């Protein structure tokens, strides 16, 4: 289905991004993996994708808080594969703390990685997509793109920003067969969620079990975590020809959280 296409997925060394990059490779796309982590483990995953799915996989260590590195990642992908057809802006970080104690550098990093990086990547990839008159841009937003939770000021602000950027880019590229959408997952069990448990325990004075059941799963009527594979399946559909008329949408996948 995606043979001959190239997909760049930011923040794909782990969690949701890794599931998306694997799902695109399974459909035949060449992929660019990006993110941080242990070099040997990343190389193992990269090689594994090439061998399992008979596609080409590149790794870019570009830091999503550095605009020049983002532009370079897109240029390198275009040089290596001839195009960037699918761009998934997925890299993200979290920090949980009350506003009056929220470290300023954490605010700046979350806005840069979770929001501004999507702008820089879209800015770099759009000219090639326009020339080819085809493109798919998918932003991993969050339920926090439409609703808020306390103690996540930077994350909620960044994800609301991603929703606005998604809609604006969709309008700008509407006549170029480039769709721009956001997936808004509820809680997905990944390192990002695991890492916020101690911070949430401190911010809310709760035990680990209370955080999992009374904060995380409390939000989701299904009482189940969303899976990375479910998010990846939606990302595959959004990259398909059948999804041509879906653009500017913020698609919830949150077990009913935002139906409250
Ligand atoms: P994760 O921690 O497993 O993955 C985050 C990825 O981003 C990793 O590959 C990491 O190396 C990369 N990354 C972090 N900082 C980076 C930087 N400066 N430059 C490049 N890469 C960087 O987390 P995840 O849960 O898979 O999160 C992926 C996306 O999904 C994020 O945007 C997150 O906000 C969003 N999301 C997650 C959930 C959830 O419950 N896990 C829910 C909604 C939205």
């Amino acid at each position: 289905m995606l043979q001959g296409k190239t997909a760049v997925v930011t923040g794909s060394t782990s969690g949701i991004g890794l599931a998306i990059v694997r799902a695109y490779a399974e459909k035949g796309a060449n992929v660019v993996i990006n993110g941080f982590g242990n070099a040997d483990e990343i190389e193992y995953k990269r090689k594994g994708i090439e061998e399992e799915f008979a596609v080409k996989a590149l790794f870019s260590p570009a830091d999503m808080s550095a605009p020049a590195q983002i532009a370079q990642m897109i240029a390198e992908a275009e040089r290596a594969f001839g195009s960037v057809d699918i761009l998934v802006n997925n890299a993200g970080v979290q920090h949980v703390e009350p506003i009056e104690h929220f470290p300023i550098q954490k605010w700046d990093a979350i806005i840069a990685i979770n929001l501004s990086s999507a702008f820089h990547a879209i800015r770099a990839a759009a000219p090639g997509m326009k020339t080819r008159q085809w493109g798919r841009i998918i932003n991993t937003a969050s339920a926090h793109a439409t609703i808020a939770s306390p103690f996540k000021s930077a994350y909620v602000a960044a994800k609301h920003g991603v929703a606005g950027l998604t809609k604006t880019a969709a309008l700008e590229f509407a006549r170029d067969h480039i769709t721009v959408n956001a997936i808004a997952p509820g809680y997905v069990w990944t390192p990002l969620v695991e890492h916020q448990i101690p911070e949430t325990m401190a911010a809310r004075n709760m035990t680990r079990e209370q955080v999992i059941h009374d904060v995380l799963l409390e939000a989701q009527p299904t009482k189940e975590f969303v899976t990375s594979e479910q998010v990846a399946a939606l990302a595959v559909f959004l990259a398909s020809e059948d999804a041509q008329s879906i653009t500017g949408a913020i698609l919830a996948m949150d077990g009913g959280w935002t139906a409250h």
Side-chain angles (χ1 to χ4, degrees):
M1 167 193 153
L2 296 177
Q3 273 89 2
K5 298 268 195 286
T6 300
V8 174
V9 183
T10 73
S12 51
T13 53
S14 155
I16 294 169
L18 180 60
I20 293 175
V21 94
R22 287 181 56 80
Y24 283 149
E26 190 183 4
K27 298 292 178 198
N30 292 324
V31 294
V32 176
I33 304 163
N34 159 260
F36 297 154
N38 175 283
D40 290 341
E41 283 175 22
I42 293 171
E43 176 55 16
Y44 180 78
K45 288 171 189 163
R46 188 200 66 76
K47 236 175 132 188
I49 286 174
E50 286 196 334
E51 287 170 4
E52 192 174 343
F53 304 118
V55 297
K56 290 208 161 32
L58 280 185
F59 170 63
S60 164
D63 181 344
M64 289 303 110
S65 63
Q69 293 185 36
I70 297 170
Q72 196 184 339
M73 174 186 70
I74 298 295
E76 277 171 9
E78 287 176 335
R79 222 175 10 254
F81 296 134
S83 62
V84 171
D85 308 288
I86 303 163
L87 168 66
V88 183
N89 293 303
N90 171 80
V93 290
Q94 175 63 289
H95 183 78
V96 183
E97 208 166 336
I99 289 175
E100 62 272 33
H101 303 300
F102 208 93
I104 291 167
Q105 65 273 28
K106 290 275 184 200
W107 169 275
D108 290 343
I110 290 173
I111 299 298
I113 296 164
N114 296 19
L115 172 58
S116 301
S117 72
F119 163 75
H120 295 298
I122 292 170
R123 188 175 181 278
M129 290 180 178
K130 275 188 164 180
T131 302
R132 290 182 297 279
Q133 286 292 291
W134 199 92
R136 295 289 189 259
I137 298 169
I138 298 158
N139 300 319
T140 308
S142 163
H144 285 120
T146 54
I147 55 164
S149 294
F151 314 124
K152 296 183 176 177
S153 52
Y155 189 87
V156 171
K159 295 297 185 182
H160 275 66
V162 167
L165 175 64
T166 301
K167 294 178 194 176
T168 308
L171 296 180
E172 291 191 23
F173 306 141
R175 301 295 297 272
D176 299 299
H177 299 98
I178 302 169
T179 67
V180 190
N181 293 292
I183 300 177
Y187 284 107
V188 188
W189 191 260
T190 67
L192 181 137
V193 164
E194 234 174 319
H195 291 154
Q196 67 184 276
I197 288 177
E199 290 167 7
T200 309
M201 286 165 65
R204 293 181 183 249
N205 194 22
M206 283 179 164
T207 65
R208 180 182 165 84
E209 285 63 39
Q210 283 172 321
V211 170
I212 292 173
H213 294 285
D214 301 347
V215 179
L216 304 182
L217 292 180
E218 171 59 19
Q220 292 183 187
T222 53
K223 302 297 171 204
E224 285 174 7
F225 285 98
V226 179
T227 70
S228 294
E229 289 69 27
Q230 290 166 350
V231 178
L234 181 53
V236 167
F237 180 70
L238 288 173
S240 71
E241 292 301 333
D242 284 340
Q244 184 62 54
S245 296
I246 303 178
T247 195
I250 315 300
L251 297 161
M253 186 183 271
D254 61 10
W257 179 356
T258 50
H260 277 301

